[in-house]
Amino acid sequence: MRYYKETELDIEKAAEFLELPPSRLSEIIEKGNLRQNWDEYSNIYRFEGHAPQIENGTALIDHYGSFELVRGFPKIKRAMLLDPALKGNFSQIKSVVVEEKMNGYNVRVVDYRGKLIAFTRSGHVCPYSTERVQNFLKRDFFQDHPDIIVYGEMAGPDNPYVQKNIYDIDSLDFFVFDMRYKDTGEPLEVCQRRELGEEYGFNQVRLFGEFSINEASAKITGIIRELGEKGHEGVVIKDPKMVLQPIKYTCSQSNCSDLEQAFRFYNEAGRDYLFSRVVREGFQSYEWSEDEEEFQKRCKRLGESILLPMKGTIAQVATGERLSDDFCIRVRDENVIHKFKAYMERFGLYVVLGTPERIGEDYVVEVRKINKSTTDKTMAMLEGQLWS
Ligand code: ATP
Ligand code: MG
């Protein structure tokens, strides 16, 4: 294990940079809302929970007395009913841009001491995403535009966080969907961002087009129906100038596939996560004025996405098997496998690694994330214990 020197934050200087009174910053730290990352990233701090005017997951990089802020990606609000949401939120503009919402995990990329690093939503530096991103983005962009943060979705197979095999790609890939200036946090306009991405050969989320506010809801409904058939997630609707906040809207099939995954591990899944997905189905079904046949299909899809995985889970535990979330990771540097395992363990997750297999230039290894809580709960029920 390499030895990394622990650094200490200069509160006075950091507070000045953040434009906060030092006492306020000390308070934030005491409450555990600004935390230090570790090892080679121990001079990077992340905001967790509430700090005034600072997005959750924002990273503060301490360059030994001078600072840099890598802002967290802002929350995107959801339309439950497309038409009123579009008219209500974009009334000041004439048209909106519609991009595909990729189903993966959010990553922010910056150049850090001559290497690209990938932050996850929470402001941690994920060793796996960091290794992968070197292959996806060229560093020249970051040298030419050191003032810009690139935001994108890591999606596809070999994905430790969101296992969805819905895209026609061989392995994990990175799809850029946003760029923002470091100092102000302001986003680039959609057009400008896409041109820049194109210029540097970045993979980008799909652009469906720009639609007038009046036609947008019908167009998006058509897009959503098609994406749903393919199992894709949905769309993000944006002000072309990126002044107004974007809105997301998703397909029923994708909601149900989330439920299916979550109910397999019903004791680990967040209640809000499950509940919100059920409510979405109600609103979409209402807005689409479904006939009886379509409505029955939706009922079946929703019901099955809840019951089938749970029944499967109970049957699996009844045979004495432990439940696990299994996925592969693909790396070029074998050391990253162990770094990633240690990283998962930091979050209290128990993972079991398979034997790495050499495929071309890469190592592919199977990872089993053990779902102890659902296994134990199910076992207890099977043994006759009572729920509570
Ligand atoms: P949020 O707090 O943003 O709602 P969430 O984790 O609940 O976060 P999602 O429901 O997946 O997120 O929707 C927002 C996320 O969608 C973004 O954080 C981003 O990672 C992802 N995303 C995928 N494609 C796009 C896109 N084209 N434009 C913007 N975000 C996108
Ligand atoms: Mg997502």
Side-chain angles (χ1 to χ4, degrees):
M1 193 69 193
R2 262 179 73 184
Y3 173 74
Y4 296 102
K5 191 171 157 279
E6 280 286 310
T7 60
E8 219 176 288
L9 192 66
D10 182 329
I11 306 274
E12 292 282 331
K13 282 190 180 157
E16 192 188 331
F17 171 77
L18 294 165
E19 296 176 344
L20 288 172
S23 59
R24 182 74 187 95
L25 182 59
S26 298
E27 206 181 297
I28 290 172
I29 294 170
E30 266 159 41
K31 282 193 181 147
N33 291 344
L34 181 66
R35 290 173 184 259
Q36 188 171 22
N37 286 344
W38 53 88
D39 291 348
E40 69 255 59
Y41 306 118
S42 63
N43 59 332
I44 303 181
Y45 299 79
R46 59 185 194 280
F47 284 92
E48 285 185 6
H50 274 298
Q53 317 290 315
I54 296 173
E55 285 294 343
N56 219 351
T58 293
L60 175 70
I61 306 181
D62 178 2
H63 297 289
Y64 307 111
S66 73
F67 296 93
E68 189 181 337
L69 208 58
V70 183
R71 285 188 171 74
F73 189 69
K75 185 163 182 55
I76 299 182
K77 291 197 179 139
R78 171 178 299 274
M80 293 301 261
L81 296 171
L82 201 47
D83 199 52
L86 282 169
K87 295 198 169 124
N89 286 278
F90 296 116
S91 60
Q92 298 128 285
I93 56 175
K94 289 201 174 66
S95 60
V96 286
V97 169
V98 179
E99 285 188 324
E100 175 156 3
K101 181 176 193 306
M102 300 292 290
N103 201 345
Y105 62 100
N106 182 304
V107 160
R108 267 168 285 164
V109 184
V110 293
D111 188 303
Y112 174 72
R113 301 181 175 172
K115 185 181 120 183
L116 300 185
I117 55 169
F119 287 100
T120 60
R121 202 79 197 270
S122 55
H124 291 93
V125 182
C126 166
Y128 180 59
S129 314
T130 293
E131 202 248 28
R132 291 288 83 194
V133 89
Q134 319 296 323
N135 310 318
F136 302 149
L137 301 182
K138 289 211 216 81
R139 258 197 73 221
D140 55 357
F141 173 89
F142 298 86
Q143 285 159 338
D144 298 346
H145 302 281
D147 53 336
I148 293 179
I149 302 168
V150 175
Y151 297 80
E153 196 82 348
M154 286 273 189
D158 306 324
N159 190 329
Y161 307 116
V162 179
Q163 289 104 49
K164 294 259 152 103
N165 262 332
I166 51 180
Y167 304 109
D168 198 15
I169 46 181
D170 293 337
S171 186
L172 195 67
D173 217 330
F174 186 68
F175 299 87
V176 173
F177 57 66
D178 210 299
M179 293 183 193
R180 287 169 191 255
Y181 292 104
K182 270 181 200 160
D183 51 355
T184 60
E186 262 180 43
L188 271 64
E189 292 183 10
V190 174
C191 203
Q192 195 190 358
R193 182 239 305 157
R194 295 197 70 99
E195 273 168 21
L196 211 51
E198 176 89 37
E199 189 184 325
Y200 286 86
F202 291 174
N203 233 342
Q204 310 195 52
V205 292
R206 180 172 168 195
L207 173 72
F208 287 104
E210 187 167 340
F211 307 115
S212 73
I213 300 296
N214 285 335
E215 64 172 347
S217 136
K219 291 272 190 212
I220 296 167
T221 303
I223 294 168
I224 286 290
R225 284 187 191 274
E226 265 175 50
L227 288 177
E229 294 294 316
K230 293 198 282 183
H232 286 207
E233 187 180 15
V235 296
V236 181
I237 306 151
K238 301 179 179 178
D239 169 3
K241 297 217 171 308
M242 289 294 288
V243 174
L244 302 176
Q245 295 304 307
I247 291 179
K248 59 192 178 189
Y249 189 68
T250 53
C251 313
S252 166
Q253 290 86 342
S254 176
N255 293 333
C256 290
S257 120
D258 287 351
L259 286 172
E260 197 181 322
Q261 169 79 6
F263 269 106
R264 273 184 65 211
F265 311 117
Y266 65 87
N267 217 40
E268 270 110 325
R271 305 279 154 113
D272 287 350
Y273 181 89
L274 304 173
F275 180 69
S276 63
R277 278 162 179 74
V278 175
V279 174
R280 286 176 207 169
E281 290 301 299
F283 279 96
Q284 193 173 76
S285 177
Y286 165 79
E287 188 169 31
W288 289 7
S289 316
E290 290 171 335
D291 61 23
E292 190 53 27
E293 192 191 334
E294 262 186 309
F295 182 63
Q296 287 303 328
K297 265 204 216 109
R298 187 187 292 274
C299 292
K300 187 160 184 284
R301 183 164 61 232
L302 176 59
E304 285 184 351
S305 72
I306 295 171
L307 284 177
L308 282 177
M310 269 205 284
K311 209 173 153 189
T313 283
I314 300 163
Q316 190 178 341
V317 176
T319 66
E321 256 182 75
R322 278 191 309 174
L323 299 167
S324 65
D325 213 355
D326 303 344
F327 54 86
C328 285
I329 56 170
R330 174 186 284 258
V331 295
R332 202 139 294 177
D333 172 4
E334 213 180 349
N335 293 319
V336 174
I337 299 172
H338 301 285
K339 260 184 146 179
F340 179 69
K341 182 170 188 270
Y343 178 77
M344 299 292 270
E345 284 168 356
R346 282 247 180 194
F347 297 101
L349 300 165
Y350 176 54
V351 297
V352 180
L353 297 177
T355 314
E357 194 189 331
R358 190 89 211 229
I359 298 185
E361 280 183 275
D362 297 329
Y363 293 92
V364 176
V365 62
E366 207 195 352
V367 184
R368 294 184 62 205
K369 205 165 81 197
I370 307 296
N371 297 85
K372 187 169 160 37
S373 163
T374 306
T375 307
D376 290 353
K377 184 81 177 176
T378 310
M379 187 57 85
M381 297 300 110
L382 287 163
E383 284 167 355
Q385 284 188 33
L386 303 178
W387 184 278
S388 84

